[in-house]
Amino acid sequence: VAPRTGDEEAPQPPAEAFERAAARRGSSARSLDRALAPLEQVRDFYEAAARLMHPCRVIGVAINGARYSDAEVAAEREAVRRRMGLPACDVLRHGPDELVDAVLDLKRQLRK
């Protein structure tokens, strides 16, 4: 990566993926027993924040399935896919391929 002098514009990504905790539960200081914001609200927040600098849209969801069983994460993954119509995966369990494919698909779309 070349150092920036501040005079040039850095290329801005036209898309992003956001992380979604499967759910929050437990009583440790690091977790809270409370509901998460609706997925659509989180997506809208990420897109609005990114649009302050450049056009952007969410193209995938990374699920944080730490502390959850494979079955719980699989159920959350399918629920997110259905609800959002986006690729979703826990990259530690499933690998990043779904999210990488979403990025590559977007690159192909932008070249048209």
Side-chain angles (χ1 to χ4, degrees), residues 25-103:
R25 64 179 180 198
S27 58
S28 72
R30 294 181 54 194
S31 66
L32 303 172
D33 288 322
R34 64 181 176 92
L36 297 172
L39 284 167
E40 295 82 4
Q41 186 177 352
V42 174
R43 178 204 55 218
D44 293 347
F45 171 79
Y46 272 77
E47 289 179 344
R51 285 185 187 135
L52 292 174
M53 300 301 290
H54 55 85
C56 190
R57 65 185 165 125
V58 169
I59 60 170
V61 180
I63 298 171
N64 180 351
R67 299 177 35 200
Y68 296 91
S69 71
D70 288 345
E72 290 171 311
V73 172
E76 181 71 8
R77 182 183 191 191
E78 287 308 311
V80 169
R81 283 175 171 164
R82 276 193 313 277
R83 185 169 173 177
M84 302 298 291
L86 296 170
C89 61
D90 179 326
V91 296
L92 297 178
R93 280 189 169 97
H94 312 117
D97 291 351
E98 258 186 88
L99 299 178
V100 170
D101 288 345
V103 171

